[in-house]
């Protein structure tokens, strides 16, 4: 059976590097923070071009972000309606109100028009998400944030290593928010062997605050200046990430080649051959973006029929995401204040389906199986 994400294949490829560094950490007696974490933060910071602070998970990174930005009960924050729950969840957890923006029907990224329509005098910020690995239109979100006096956060949990061309300059994911975050959940493009996350900022005051919040609000030993969290990366995860980071750019290259193979096959082979209900449209990558392809996502005219074909060919798939966030039961209490429907997000929940695309997946084999159907 083909795995959806081939983590075993990746472990085999770098096994000697992993085993050496894992032993070093376990023998060192230093398990939380320490030199591995310090070195990883330096390497992440060199990669992205701004300060990096590690923490316990991507969700923690968002919570710490909102705490550092000073969110207060009743504050409204605009988040995409079609994404993982974490951005909306963290806003609600801290007493804020998530306002759900629609998406672009082709790139599936947060819709700028929808964000504009949701800004009002209670709005304090926007969380943009780099969905499935390509950057949202952050230069446009930045303009809205600047014009309306809002903060801007980038959720790059799926997009560490992605780039976006803005005014002739290639910018990396994790550079667009006042604070940007990523996740090292095992199946993300840069994942560890447990939970982990990081925050990125160029603002040294925010950096200082973030470091305090992530470590019990403490500025030094037993000096607690504010209420914080226990959210720290452990040394073993940092060591594993340091190995994977050295291979990331090659891996992203293979992900992009895999995605290009699928595009070619579905647009110029499959769609010509199958009946209309089985036709699919790949998520559009904006020309200024280089995606990490955290997911290779298609919009299927009839998702059930297409999924049946995949099952027949023994090809695994995932549905990201089967429901809009505004329809999740946990948000039912705030729904009465919200617009009735986000049309494009609704459509995406019915059509989106993702195929294996990781660098250790044999995409040629998958395409071969589909061609034989
Ligand atoms: C995975 C993910 C998160 C949360 O990351 P964890 O490390 O699992 O807490 C947040 N936002 C998005 C868009 C994600 O995909």
């Amino acid at each position: 059976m083909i795995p959806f994400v081939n983590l075993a294949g990746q472990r085999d490829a770098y096994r000697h590097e992993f085993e050496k560094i894992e032993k070093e950490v376990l023998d060192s007696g230093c398990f939380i923070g320490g030199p591995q974490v310090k070195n990883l933060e330096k390497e992440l910071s060199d990669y992205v071009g701004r300060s990096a602070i590690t923490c316990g998970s991507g969700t923690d990174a968002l919570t710490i972000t909102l705490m550092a930005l000073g969110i207060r009960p009743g504050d409204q924050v605009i988040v995409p309606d079609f994404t993982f729950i974490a951005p909306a969840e963290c806003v609600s957890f801290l007493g804020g109100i998530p306002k759900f923006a629609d998406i672009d029907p082709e790139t599936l990224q947060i819709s700028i028009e929808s964000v504009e329509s949701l800004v009002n005098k209670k709005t304090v910020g926007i969380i943009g998400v780099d969905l499935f690995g390509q950057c949202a239109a952050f230069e446009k979100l930045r303009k809205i944030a600047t014009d309306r006096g809002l903060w801007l956060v980038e959720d790059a949990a799926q997009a560490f290593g992605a780039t976006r061309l803005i005014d002739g300059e290639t910018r990396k994911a994790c550079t667009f928010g006042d604070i940007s975050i990523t996740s090292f959940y095992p199946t993300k493009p840069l994942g560890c062997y447990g939970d982990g996350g990081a925050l990125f900022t160029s603002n040294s005051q925010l950096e200082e605050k973030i470091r305090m919040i992530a470590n019990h609000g403490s500025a030094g030993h037993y000096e607690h200046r504010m209420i914080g969290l226990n959210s720290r990366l452990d040394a073993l995860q940092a060591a594993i990430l340091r190995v994977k980071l050295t291979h990331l750019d090659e891996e992203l290259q293979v992900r992009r080649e895999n995605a290009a193979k699928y595009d070619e096959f579905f647009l110029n082979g499959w769609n010509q051959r199958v009946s209309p209900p089985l036709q699919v449209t790949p998520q559009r990558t904006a020309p200024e973006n280089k995606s990490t392809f955290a997911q290779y996502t298609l919009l299927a005219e009839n998702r059930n029929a297409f999924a049946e074909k995949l099952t027949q060919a023994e090809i695994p798939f995932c549905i990201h995401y089967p429901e809009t966030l505004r329809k999740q039961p946990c948000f039912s209490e705030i729904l009465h204040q919200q617009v009735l429907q986000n049309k494009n997000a609704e459509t995406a929940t019915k059509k989106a389906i993702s195929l294996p695309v990781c660098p250790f997946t044999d995409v040629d084999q998958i395409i071969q199986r589909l061609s034989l159907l």
Side-chain angles (χ1 to χ4, degrees):
M1 189 65 193
I2 300 170
F4 189 74
V5 179
N6 190 0
L7 289 176
Q10 187 194 41
R11 180 147 181 94
D12 279 343
Y14 319 138
R15 178 171 299 279
H16 296 297
E17 291 172 77
F18 284 137
E19 286 178 349
K20 180 167 173 290
I21 203 152
E22 286 160 4
K23 182 168 186 316
E24 266 174 48
V25 171
L26 296 179
D27 289 343
S28 75
C30 174
F31 300 121
I32 305 274
Q36 292 293 347
V37 171
K38 233 192 181 69
N39 287 331
L40 173 67
E41 288 187 348
K42 166 86 173 59
E43 288 154 13
L44 291 170
S45 165
D46 289 346
Y47 187 91
V48 167
R50 66 203 307 213
S51 291
I53 309 104
T54 56
C55 69
S57 70
T59 306
D60 278 4
L62 284 166
T63 304
I64 294 165
T65 293
L66 295 169
M67 290 168 79
L69 292 168
I71 191 173
R72 287 193 300 212
D75 284 350
Q76 294 189 5
V77 178
I78 300 169
V79 299
D81 201 357
F82 181 71
T83 186
F84 185 60
I85 192 173
E89 178 184 35
C90 296
V91 169
S92 283
F93 181 72
L94 293 168
I97 298 169
K99 300 290 279 189
F100 299 106
D102 204 358
I103 55 168
D104 176 272
E106 295 181 337
T107 64
L108 311 181
Q109 305 300 317
I110 192 167
S111 151
I112 302 305
E113 295 71 31
S114 180
V115 170
E116 270 169 341
S117 75
L118 290 172
V119 178
N120 65 43
K121 55 185 194 310
K122 287 192 174 164
T123 311
V124 295
I126 304 167
I127 305 179
V129 174
D130 298 324
L131 194 69
F132 302 149
Q134 68 170 307
C135 296
F138 268 99
E139 68 287 359
K140 295 181 184 143
L141 294 175
R142 175 56 74 189
K143 183 162 187 324
I144 299 174
T146 305
D147 290 350
R148 308 296 292 260
L150 310 175
W151 47 250
L152 178 62
V153 167
E154 177 190 11
D155 178 345
Q158 305 177 0
F160 189 84
T163 64
R164 182 171 176 87
L165 190 64
I166 300 175
D167 294 333
E169 188 197 350
T170 301
R171 300 223 355 224
K172 281 204 161 101
C174 295
T175 64
F176 298 112
D178 298 309
I179 301 173
S180 298
I181 70 99
T182 198
S183 161
F184 302 129
Y185 185 80
T187 55
K188 307 278 175 170
L190 179 63
C192 55
Y193 289 162
D195 275 313
L199 303 91
F200 299 85
T201 185
S202 312
N203 177 324
S204 55
Q205 278 165 327
L206 281 176
E207 179 182 351
E208 197 186 347
K209 232 168 150 182
I210 289 165
R211 289 195 185 280
M212 278 196 263
I213 293 168
N215 191 20
H216 300 290
S218 67
H221 267 301
Y222 304 110
E223 183 199 343
H224 303 281
R225 295 210 189 147
M226 55 177 82
I227 295 299
L229 305 169
N230 169 6
S231 183
R232 301 171 295 211
L233 191 69
D234 64 70
L236 195 56
Q237 304 309 339
I240 286 155
L241 287 165
R242 292 183 67 204
V243 170
K244 291 202 195 182
L245 185 58
T246 63
H247 298 285
L248 181 69
D249 284 342
E250 301 155 38
E251 288 198 0
L252 294 180
Q253 189 52 39
V254 181
R255 282 176 181 272
R256 287 171 192 138
E257 286 163 16
N258 282 345
K261 285 180 187 173
Y262 277 136
D263 280 353
E264 169 63 23
F265 171 70
F266 285 114
L267 292 172
N268 299 324
W270 179 265
N271 280 352
Q272 267 77 48
R273 190 156 57 73
V274 299
S275 61
L278 283 173
Q279 287 175 355
V280 292
T281 311
Q283 174 195 18
R284 190 171 91 91
T285 303
E288 52 271 53
N289 279 341
K290 275 196 174 172
S291 177
T292 61
F293 290 99
Q295 322 282 335
Y296 179 82
T297 301
L298 295 162
L299 300 172
E301 286 314 312
N302 180 335
R303 186 168 62 193
N304 285 342
F306 183 68
E308 215 165 279
K309 289 285 174 194
L310 295 175
T311 305
Q312 238 178 56
E314 296 185 329
I315 297 163
F317 60 86
C318 284
I319 308 275
H320 299 110
Y321 297 89
E323 192 55 279
T324 56
L325 291 174
R326 61 176 298 284
K327 281 200 178 161
Q328 292 290 347
C330 62
F331 295 123
S332 57
E333 277 176 32
I334 57 172
L335 267 195
H336 63 280
Q337 315 170 25
Q338 312 261 330
V339 291
L340 283 179
Q341 206 181 34
N342 285 319
K343 200 167 77 4
N344 298 333
E346 290 287 333
T347 304
T349 62
K350 295 188 173 68
K351 291 189 171 181
I353 183 162
S354 303
L355 296 180
V357 71
C358 94
F360 301 93
T361 295
D362 186 350
V363 165
D364 294 322
Q365 183 195 16
I366 292 176
I367 289 174
Q368 174 70 9
R369 285 191 193 179
L370 287 171
S371 332
L372 292 174
L373 282 180

